[in-house]
Amino acid sequence: MNRELRKTVIAGNWKMNKLASEIKAFSDELMPLIPGYKGWCDAVVCTPFVILPAALCAFKDTGVGVGAQNMSQHESGAYTGEVSAAQLTDIGTQYVIIGHSERRQYYGETDETVNAKTIAALKTPMTPIVCVGETLEQREKGITNSLVTMQVEVALSGISAEQASKIIIAYEPVWAIGTGKTATPEDAQEVCKVIRDVLKTLYCEKTANAITIQYGGSMNDKNAKELLAQPDIDGGLIGGASLKPDQFAVIINAANQ
């Protein structure tokens, strides 16, 4: 499997949820459930911009990383409402989600903007979590594999093997996000293997085997263990279950077994 070459990463995507005033209580409840946290997997919470400072404070010295949910591809300038990679790095942000399906669906992000943002993030110490995945209509048309292949190829255009090894790719079947539907472990593994094979073609087997691939389609405390047992699933991008410390802890602990 070569899984020893790559890190397992469980990242919570809080989306537009929680207040700064709620994060300390969340951290206080979560940390005893993952005692002495120095496990095999990395645990991360990705929060809205405005509560990043509170999250960085609450999770300081806990071993749990903090990430943003988006960033601009521009370094600076007249881009009202945007936040740059340098600004995120300056306050200590360690991860950033790029190209989430909701950004693509609601805010017009394209494969090209995902590529530009990924390149911008790689100029900083942050780890980009680059999202790819298909809609239900695309899956029913049988174009999942070709679509995901194209998304990965465009997202990584102009990115070297050394740079790519610092990226996390999250496969998120859009039809399984927030719907309660989940791809079977076999379905999820099939697409994650397609992604791994694309990486081998773009770079080499060693590089491909070093890149973490997450599953991001409604992974929860009930199905995490089975999904994480698949050879090409190295973690999860967790939505709703990451908002509840007890459920999030179960997923993190499942990744450490």
Side-chain angles (χ1 to χ4, degrees):
M1 275 191 244
N2 295 306
R3 294 188 75 164
E4 68 276 6
L5 298 176
R6 53 189 183 261
K7 195 74 175 178
T8 301
V9 181
I10 301 295
N13 176 15
W14 285 2
K15 305 191 179 183
M16 198 175 69
N17 292 294
K18 293 197 178 294
L19 304 175
S21 57
E22 298 173 324
I23 298 179
K24 181 64 165 59
F26 180 96
S27 175
D28 288 346
E29 186 175 346
L30 175 67
M31 296 317 300
L33 303 177
I34 47 174
Y37 191 67
K38 294 187 182 297
W40 162 249
C41 93
D42 285 348
V44 183
V45 292
C46 296
T47 79
F49 290 136
V50 71
I51 62 176
L52 277 170
L56 287 162
C57 181
F59 287 103
K60 184 179 180 181
D61 299 326
T62 65
V64 174
V66 175
Q69 299 173 1
N70 182 35
M71 55 164 270
S72 174
Q73 65 266 44
H74 303 290
E75 293 184 5
S76 62
Y79 302 103
T80 301
E82 291 294 292
V83 175
S84 73
Q87 290 169 330
L88 292 174
T89 303
D90 188 56
I91 64 171
T93 310
Q94 299 150 296
Y95 295 79
V96 59
I97 299 172
I98 295 175
H100 190 278
S101 61
E102 290 161 0
R103 297 296 312 173
R104 295 175 187 255
Q105 179 180 357
Y106 303 134
Y107 303 103
E109 291 204 9
T110 65
D111 294 331
E112 289 74 21
T113 57
V114 169
N115 174 246
K117 290 183 179 189
T118 303
I119 290 172
L122 287 168
K123 294 178 181 178
T124 76
M126 287 191 298
T127 298
I129 300 174
V130 180
C131 300
V132 298
E134 82 283 18
T135 65
L136 180 59
E137 181 182 10
Q138 290 163 338
R139 170 165 279 268
E140 289 176 342
K141 287 181 177 178
I143 62 172
T144 293
N145 292 357
S146 59
L147 177 77
V148 169
T149 294
M150 181 189 69
Q151 289 177 328
V152 173
E153 289 175 344
V154 177
L156 300 183
S157 177
I159 291 171
S160 69
E162 181 181 1
Q163 291 173 313
S165 66
K166 302 173 184 177
I167 293 171
I168 295 169
I169 295 179
Y171 166 55
E172 43 162 18
V174 180
W175 49 271
I177 298 172
T179 65
K181 297 180 180 179
T182 309
T184 67
E186 293 75 20
D187 288 340
Q189 163 60 23
E190 178 185 355
V191 182
C192 288
K193 184 180 185 303
V194 167
I195 294 170
R196 187 90 57 204
D197 289 342
V198 175
L199 296 172
K200 290 177 183 177
T201 300
L202 291 176
Y203 302 109
C204 64
E205 186 167 359
K206 182 179 179 181
T207 298
N209 285 331
I211 294 174
T212 295
I213 299 176
Q214 296 175 319
Y215 174 70
S218 295
M219 183 183 286
N220 56 50
D221 54 328
K222 305 291 192 303
N223 60 28
K225 187 173 182 179
E226 193 174 6
L227 285 163
L228 292 167
Q230 301 303 310
D232 288 296
I233 297 178
D234 310 312
L237 183 59
I238 316 300
S242 71
L243 296 170
K244 302 172 182 177
D246 56 339
Q247 294 184 20
F248 195 37
V250 169
I251 300 170
I252 293 169
N253 290 328
N256 277 321
Q257 293 177 0

